[in-house]
């Protein structure tokens, strides 16, 4: 597996940030977290967070239900194929996504879940990207409740992180509230089989890529496999830390900050010899949010690097690039 060699992470490579201070009534404590986030975002764009407040039992339930789903026969999983949902929610088969051009499709399978909205919600009525009905396995009675309880936790945590992000950019704490109103978000259950002993050239669990949206909150099991590309061009193992999440910036945040902050290339290589499960939550914000360079990220005499867009337009463009035609 020499082609996938990586060095193990240290705190100097990926910061560990206690975000509980963002809930403090003391502005200095909140600012301290913002400053730590700023340091990490200016450096590599990946950080561990602790003090997140998500109960362990909720996290454990998600992993347990995910393992039950992925152990189902293939035909039962395919009956919930994501192409049947206008919101692209449901089952993603093995090798269905190609995140690294020039390599084999990703050696993973997934299950997508979106926020459940009433039929008359404006995002559904106007056909906003990736909003639509979920699909649920009928024979797993606890699956839906476990996922939606965790989804609510992630919505709250995502909004809290954005308050820290505002502080990190010298903005008012509530600057991103419109972005956090009716946001486009997605919960994704991922299952990685063990890396084959003789893989095709470049074959891996998840190809090298940057995430598309605002940021990602990743829950990973104990088996590891996530690797982050360092400034020196070497891959870094993002080793699991108990009771932590990994948060990484997406392309949308890079664009919005005029590349002041940047998304970071990462991949997954499951060399543990075991089944690997991970659960990313993608936070991309209100689909109508105008994405024009944030004022604190543009020098007075400089023009923004990118034309204005919206969350909806950006995500449509990025999504079209990475799926293998059916």
């Amino acid at each position: 597996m020499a082609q996938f060699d990586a060095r193990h992470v240290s705190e100097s490579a990926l910061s560990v940030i206690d975000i509980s201070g963002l809930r403090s009534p003391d502005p200095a404590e909140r600012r301290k977290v913002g400053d730590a986030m700023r340091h990490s975002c200016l450096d590599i764009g990946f950080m561990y967070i602790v003090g997140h407040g998500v109960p362990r039992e909720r996290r454990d339930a998600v992993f347990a239900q995910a393992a039950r789903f992925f152990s189902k026969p293939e035909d039962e999983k395919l009956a919930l194929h994501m192409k049947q949902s206008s919101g692209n929610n449901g089952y993603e088969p093995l090798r269905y996504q190609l995140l690294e051009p020039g390599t084999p499709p990703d050696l993973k399978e997934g299950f997508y879940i979106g926020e459940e909205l009433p039929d008359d919600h404006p995002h559904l009525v106007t056909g906003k990207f990736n909003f639509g009905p979920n699909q649920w396995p009928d024979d797993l009675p606890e699956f839906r409740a476990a996922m939606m309880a965790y989804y609510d936790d992630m919505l709250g945590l995502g909004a809290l992180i954005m308050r820290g992000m505002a502080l990190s950019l010298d903005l008012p704490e509530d600057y991103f509230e419109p972005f956090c109103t009716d946001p486009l978000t997605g919960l994704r259950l991922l299952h990685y089989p063990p890396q084959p002993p003789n893989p095709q050239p470049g074959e891996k669990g998840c190809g090298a890529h940057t995430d598309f949206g605002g940021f990602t909150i990743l829950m990973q099991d104990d088996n590891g496999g996530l690797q982050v590309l360092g400034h020196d061009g070497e891959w870094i193992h993002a080793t699991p830390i108990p009771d932590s999440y990994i948060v990484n910036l997406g392309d949308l945040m890079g664009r919005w900050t005029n590349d002041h902050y940047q998304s970071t290339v990462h991949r997954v290589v499951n060399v543990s010899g075991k089944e690997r499960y991970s659960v990313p939550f993608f936070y991309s914000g209100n689909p109508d949010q105008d994405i024009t360079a944030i004022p604190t990220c543009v020098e007075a005499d400089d023009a923004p690097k990118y034309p204005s867009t919206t969350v909806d337009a950006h995500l449509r463009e990025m999504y079209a690039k990475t799926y293998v035609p059916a």
Side-chain angles (χ1 to χ4, degrees):
M1 296 287 180
Q3 62 174 317
F4 299 128
D5 284 348
R7 58 189 171 89
H8 282 274
V9 72
S10 66
E11 188 170 339
S12 63
L14 296 182
S15 298
V16 181
I17 301 174
D18 184 345
I19 66 165
S20 60
L22 291 174
R23 302 185 182 92
S24 171
D26 183 353
E29 289 299 310
R30 302 196 301 272
R31 168 62 66 179
K32 188 184 301 183
V33 179
D35 289 345
M37 291 177 66
R38 177 183 179 86
H39 171 78
S40 182
C41 290
L42 287 173
D43 178 27
I44 200 167
F46 264 75
M47 68 193 86
Y48 293 93
I49 63 167
V50 295
H52 46 74
V54 181
R56 174 183 286 277
E57 59 269 21
R58 203 102 80 198
R59 292 177 275 140
D60 289 345
V62 169
F63 275 130
Q65 292 298 318
R68 291 188 181 103
F69 175 79
F70 288 120
S71 68
K72 290 165 62 68
E74 188 69 11
D75 61 334
E76 294 183 19
K77 292 184 288 188
L78 287 171
L80 301 175
H81 199 294
M82 58 189 293
K83 67 183 179 183
Q84 298 170 166
S85 166
S86 59
N88 295 303
N89 295 320
Y91 178 61
E92 174 194 81
L94 197 69
R95 298 186 174 92
Y96 192 64
Q97 192 174 37
L98 176 60
L99 283 168
E100 184 177 347
T103 68
D106 296 347
L107 190 61
K108 69 179 189 314
E109 58 180 340
F111 192 85
Y112 283 64
I113 300 165
E115 187 174 7
E116 302 213 291
L117 300 174
D119 291 341
D120 61 352
H121 192 283
H123 290 348
L124 296 177
V125 173
T126 58
K128 295 298 183 186
F129 180 69
N130 259 16
F131 285 94
N134 286 311
Q135 302 185 80
W136 301 107
D138 294 333
D139 58 345
L140 297 178
E142 299 175 5
F143 186 92
R144 181 176 184 171
M147 298 308 161
M148 296 320 297
Y150 183 75
Y151 207 108
D152 287 344
D153 290 329
M154 291 296 98
L155 286 172
L157 181 57
L160 183 67
I161 289 170
M162 286 306 295
R163 293 187 72 86
M165 199 67 68
L167 289 169
S168 81
L169 291 164
D170 295 322
L171 297 166
E173 287 180 71
D174 61 355
Y175 184 86
F176 290 116
E177 281 190 6
F179 177 76
C180 296
T181 301
D182 292 333
L184 171 60
T185 51
L187 180 64
R188 191 176 184 187
L189 313 178
L190 294 175
H191 168 233
Y192 297 86
Q195 185 77 7
N198 296 299
Q200 301 178 51
E203 185 177 34
K204 61 188 80 71
C206 182
H209 68 287
T210 56
D211 289 347
F212 305 154
F215 61 93
T216 304
I217 308 170
L218 176 70
M219 178 170 67
Q220 54 178 340
D221 67 11
D222 297 332
N223 293 322
L226 176 63
Q227 298 177 357
V228 180
L229 188 62
H231 297 303
D232 57 4
E234 293 187 17
W235 290 98
I236 304 165
H237 283 300
T239 305
I241 295 177
D243 292 322
S244 74
Y245 285 98
I246 285 180
V247 173
N248 66 277
L249 302 179
D251 299 331
L252 184 73
M253 190 57 67
R255 180 170 184 157
W256 207 359
T257 61
N258 208 40
D259 287 340
H260 192 64
Y261 292 170
Q262 295 186 31
S263 54
T264 301
V265 175
H266 55 286
R267 67 184 186 184
V268 173
V269 186
N270 182 19
V271 295
S272 67
K274 303 174 184 178
E275 309 294 315
R276 178 185 188 265
Y277 298 91
S278 70
V279 184
F281 184 80
F282 300 102
Y283 200 102
S284 297
N286 187 290
D288 293 322
Q289 174 70 53
D290 174 66
I291 303 299
T292 300
I294 292 169
T296 57
C297 299
V298 182
E299 297 296 331
D301 297 330
D302 291 340
K305 294 181 179 181
Y306 305 99
S308 297
T309 188
T310 64
V311 167
D312 186 85
H314 171 80
L315 268 294
R316 288 180 188 274
E317 177 185 353
M318 301 304 295
Y319 188 91
K321 295 180 179 179
T322 67
Y323 278 90
V324 179

